[in-house]
Amino acid sequence: MLSLDDFEVAAKKHLPAPIFAYVSGGCETDRSLGRNRSVFEDYEWVSRALVNTSKRTLATELFGKRWAAPFGIAPMGISALSAYRGDLIQAQAAAATGIPMIMSGSSLIRMEDVAQANPDAWFQAYVPGENDRILALLDRVEAAGFGTLVVTVDVPVSGNRENNIRARFSTPLRPGPRLAWDGITHPGWLFGTALRTLVNHGMPHFENSHAKRGAPILASNVMRDFGARDHLSWEHFALIRQRWKGRLIVKGILHVDDALRARDEGADGIVLSNHGGRQLDGVVAPLRVLPAVRAALGADYPLMIDSGFRRGNDVLTALALGADFVFVGRPFNYAGAIAGQPGVQHAIGVLASEIARNMALLGVQSPSEVGPQHLMPS
């Protein structure tokens, strides 16, 4: 496994087609999914020569904590369906390597278990637009021990993920001959993840979407409760800010005005994101709006980004354009699926080594030295 892309190739063979389609896919025409990757081709490096980079470091400070690298693990729903104890092994790998990990609210492992395994983990919530349910969820997240809450705001409704329907993926999964065949023809996943989970932990449920346990992952006649997400507004965000005493981050911002309002409403930081191209097809790649958002927020406000990052050069490009930190999702899911926690740690190491190597070639000693002077539009 020499690059993060190698994990995707291996995971496509290892996972049943419906599950791989869920992890890998975007929505409708996959225009935004593709643009998240191709946007990096809009820039070229202008490297500097004869710079002593022998003492270069990847260490990066964010929210007063010094992390081992300028990237972390983005939240990914139902990771425990593709990898055994998926959210837990991501949290443990992040703790072992000194990077942040954001746990998804659409996860199949209790938030309390992840917080215990990694006290520095963050929790990402899909918040319904209902005050009582918001407050109940916040109480649970606080009691679990999370100090950082990430509120995702780009899912008033689920995107039109036609690829999931074509691959016969649904949540919950519907039992039937096709699903059984998918499992039988992928024995590594069947015995290493699905049956192992059932034997050791019982039927997985959506554990953290709300204050109480949700639907099982496999059911013939049960529906998920998404809550009234299309009711969510800035008034609800004000309620969250008033109630939540920890660090509060808004994820899913793309417009400059929304970034400014999030800051003014009390958000401690924002994550530029288009949900990995899974929501509104054709929406702009976050990297495109990054310079304008940074200029509007000023130099000191914590600004993070995700969606489409695969190489060390991608991370460095975002830092050069004004990001403080980058979050990477799908590749760590794939790595956990094929090799568990050691796989996730190897993937983290691969990305970190690319960044360190390219920093030397670029002529910088730390992530904070990378700037727009190192980039030229293609």
Side-chain angles (χ1 to χ4, degrees):
M1 299 296 162
L2 304 180
S3 73
L4 296 189
D5 288 336
D6 291 340
F7 291 99
E8 181 172 359
V9 174
K12 187 174 184 179
K13 298 176 182 178
H14 174 77
L15 293 172
I19 297 175
F20 180 78
Y22 168 77
V23 179
S24 64
C27 64
E28 295 185 359
T29 68
D30 284 344
R31 179 182 169 193
S32 291
L33 182 71
R35 187 55 179 151
N36 283 348
R37 292 296 306 131
S38 64
V39 69
F40 293 103
E41 298 174 9
D42 294 348
Y43 300 94
E44 296 174 317
W45 292 113
V46 181
S47 58
R48 300 301 302 271
L50 294 175
V51 178
N52 182 352
T53 60
S54 61
K55 296 182 180 180
R56 63 191 179 279
T57 175
L58 300 189
T60 303
E61 187 169 308
L62 182 67
F63 296 118
K65 183 175 176 62
R66 191 170 177 85
W67 302 98
F71 65 88
I73 301 178
M76 292 169 283
I78 59 178
S79 290
L81 184 62
S82 52
Y84 178 70
R85 308 300 280 167
D87 309 276
L88 197 59
I89 62 175
Q90 291 170 19
Q92 292 167 333
T97 55
I99 66 170
M101 175 267 188
I102 309 176
M103 181 186 188
S104 172
S106 292
S107 47
L108 304 177
I109 296 177
R110 295 171 66 250
M111 67 172 77
E112 292 81 1
D113 296 338
V114 171
Q116 183 177 8
N118 183 352
D120 289 326
W122 305 357
F123 183 79
Q124 173 264 327
Y126 293 110
V127 182
E130 301 152 301
N131 289 359
D132 56 338
R133 299 179 76 173
I134 291 174
L135 295 174
L137 178 59
L138 295 183
D139 287 343
R140 183 183 172 194
V141 176
E142 181 182 44
F146 289 95
T148 300
L149 175 67
V150 181
V151 176
T152 292
V153 295
D154 58 359
V155 192
V157 296
S158 295
N160 183 20
R161 301 175 189 176
E162 295 174 1
N163 66 304
N164 289 353
I165 300 172
R166 299 182 195 282
R168 293 182 172 85
F169 179 87
S170 63
T171 54
L173 290 167
R174 305 302 179 190
R178 175 63 181 271
L179 184 62
W181 178 250
D182 283 327
I184 293 170
T185 54
H186 295 81
W189 172 84
L190 178 62
F191 291 100
T193 299
L195 294 180
R196 187 181 176 190
T197 299
L198 286 171
V199 169
N200 292 333
H201 308 284
M203 177 63 69
H205 285 63
F206 287 92
E207 296 283 1
N208 308 300
S209 296
H210 305 291
K212 297 181 179 180
R213 196 182 208 194
I217 189 59
L218 181 67
S220 59
N221 58 1
V222 176
M223 300 295 291
R224 281 182 69 185
D225 178 9
F226 289 96
R229 293 181 185 171
D230 56 351
H231 287 63
L232 193 64
S233 68
W234 287 109
E235 286 73 22
H236 295 105
F237 182 78
L239 174 68
I240 295 169
R241 179 68 282 181
Q242 181 182 22
R243 169 63 185 82
W244 180 256
K245 303 308 179 185
R247 186 175 299 115
L248 180 59
I249 296 170
V250 180
K251 180 179 180 293
I253 297 290
L254 290 172
H255 197 286
V256 168
D257 291 348
D258 288 337
L260 291 172
R261 182 156 187 183
R263 181 197 64 187
D264 295 343
E265 293 280 351
D268 296 302
I270 65 172
V271 181
L272 299 179
S273 174
N274 66 12
H275 218 93
R278 298 162 74 86
Q279 280 300 103
L280 174 62
D281 196 31
V283 74
V284 65
L287 196 77
R288 286 285 304 277
V289 301
L290 173 56
V293 173
R294 170 50 78 196
L297 291 173
D300 297 330
Y301 187 79
L303 179 58
M304 297 153 280
I305 189 170
D306 71 14
S307 301
F309 291 85
R310 296 292 180 275
R311 306 297 305 226
N313 265 340
D314 301 343
V315 174
L316 290 171
T317 298
L319 298 180
L321 293 174
D324 293 306
F325 218 81
V326 172
F327 284 93
V328 182
R330 291 179 176 98
F332 296 130
N333 190 311
Y334 299 138
I338 63 174
Q341 181 181 336
V344 180
Q345 290 183 211
H346 181 65
I348 292 169
V350 166
L351 186 57
S353 66
E354 286 185 356
I355 296 172
R357 181 185 302 111
N358 291 342
M359 281 171 50
L361 295 171
L362 190 58
V364 298
Q365 298 196 83
S366 70
S368 62
E369 292 183 9
V370 185
Q373 70 274 14
H374 294 106
L375 285 180
M376 180 178 292
S378 297

